Amino acid sequence: MTTTLFTTQVNLGGLMEVLSKNLYSTPTVAIRELVQNAHDSCMRRRLESQAPFEPSVHVITNQAKNTLTIEDNGAGLTRDEIVDYLATVGSGYTRFLRDQQAEEIMIGYFGLGFLSAYVVSDRLEVWTTSYQEPEKGWHFVSKGAERYSINEAPPIPIGMRVVLHLSKPFQELAEAFLVEKLLQRYCGLLPVPIYLNNNREVPVNDEPPPWRLDQSAISPIQLKKRRLEFAQRFENYFKPLCTIPVHPTEESEAKGLLWVQDTSTYGTSDNRNITVFVRNMFISSDVRELLPIWAGFVGGVIESDELTPTASREEVQKDDIYEKIQRQINEALIDGLAKIASEEINTWRSILKRHNEALLGAALCDNRLFKMVADDLKVPTSEGDLTVPAIKGRSQNKIYVSIGEEGDYEEVIFRALMTPVVSGIRYAALPFSQRYTELFGGLVVKLGTKSGNAVVFKREKISSEEQEKLQSLLAQPGQQVIPSRFQPSHLPMVLIPDRDYQLKKRIESEELDHRISTGVLSLARIYTKKIQGETAAYFYINLDSPLIQRLLVTEGEAQQQIANLLRSFTLMMGRHHDEELGTDLSEALATFSEAVLQLI
């Protein structure tokens, strides 16, 4: 059987439409691509030509004519090279040079960059003279990328002049101010000087990145200033507070600069931003995954010739090199923060003040970072934000944590003792406290749990008659009286919800069927089936309290009045209205008032 081979057909118009209009996420990339082509042309001339020259690129904006011009004094093109490389999609002489050279001085590779010019222009003109034929000039014209013409023209100085006749939606690219900002961002690391309009003296990329400076020739104060100024160029939304250099390691040759943002963050804030340069050219300003997930308050710029850009050169491939640089940045950030903590005390205090909550979560991701910040970070408590050492110092080496709503019943006893209670429902407060005690000793007591209540309340046995009397006088259905002893002795009793019972009620609520996925809800209900009993809350009765002692020896109507007074007082101290617990704050106030009136 004979197999017939066919040639794949290409719809040139459709292909050019897709490539030119969908390859890049933003049309301003055209400036980056064309300046990069000009840079590579200069590098080619340096490699191939024996004649000395000073490479340069000149960008000219003309709002009156709505044109953008990029000139270079690079190698230029012959007529055949125009056809083979400029007018052929996916073919580039730069790829050949890069494959032949060990030194990474060329940027382009895919031969697609020139397509970006068609995205922003109605018509494209190129004048060029090759160093190989300095006596000849060529004029290339294309409209719409599908057809072009090449005509002989008077020679220009060796190099190339590309003129974009901007289409209406992109005529802002003829504005000098915008183009200058784009050049500084896209081309700020290029070694070839880039001049804009009539300024032939100072290139827009005359400020090298801090890691290229000769640090022996600059004072530490000036270096710090230069780093902050560089960081501000790339930090879009916040002022940099301080900077951390990234140095090459044995694993990665990447280098760059990180900075801590001068803004207040929360635990869930994620303001990470990393700008990546590959072979001196801007690739992307949103490679945030290079930073650790916990560093939501950090920005940076990284330069690496080892990273591999995608075809559009707006992202990098997430390969082994990418992961090595991730580790390198993580190490640099930890080491840099440690250095700031030890050498720049005022700056370190500012970091802690602005990013305290974010650092609580960050510390849980890295033990070195945790040990660095453990004694300085503050957790939210009933007495305000406090460091863990301060909390332990006021609580006999314990950390009491409320896992209910702020101001819940169990906090009453600690307000009376002026003992801080950590708000366990706030971001990272509970796991941070637990990790602290694991590393440095102490005990976390979770209030409202059986184990936590056992630490706070020392249970006591009383006669069955006294137990029944207290139960009938103080408790309502779903509540249980537990005789105990605790401090302060002048606090007669405390109402503590059963957290497991509350969880069971919430999980069994039909309302959750609409808010939680079926799988998660099923797993939760398997757990709550194990929870036995119908006790919603416990009244811990303080047998050391003179009021409780008086209650037990009083009889008749006076006993009930004292009980009503104590119960109402306890509910008001809890400040809650909760039908599940049988607590009604309004009713408690009324009962309290009535009991006082009867006593007086």
Side-chain angles (χ1 to χ4, degrees), residues 406-446:
E406 188 174 347
D408 225 332
Y409 299 94
E410 59 263 29
E411 290 188 21
V412 173
I413 185 172
F414 295 98
R415 287 203 302 272
L417 289 169
M418 298 186 68
T419 298
V421 176
V422 173
S423 177
I425 62 172
R426 294 280 295 277
Y427 178 81
L430 175 57
F432 185 87
S433 300
Q434 290 173 320
R435 178 70 62 83
Y436 191 99
T437 57
E438 290 170 4
L439 294 175
F440 306 110
L443 176 66
V444 170
V445 180
K446 290 189 281 187

Side-chain angles (χ1 to χ4, degrees), residues 197-209:
N197 292 329
N198 296 324
N199 188 347
R200 299 274 183 167
E201 300 296 327
V202 182
V204 295
N205 59 335
D206 66 326
E207 287 287 340

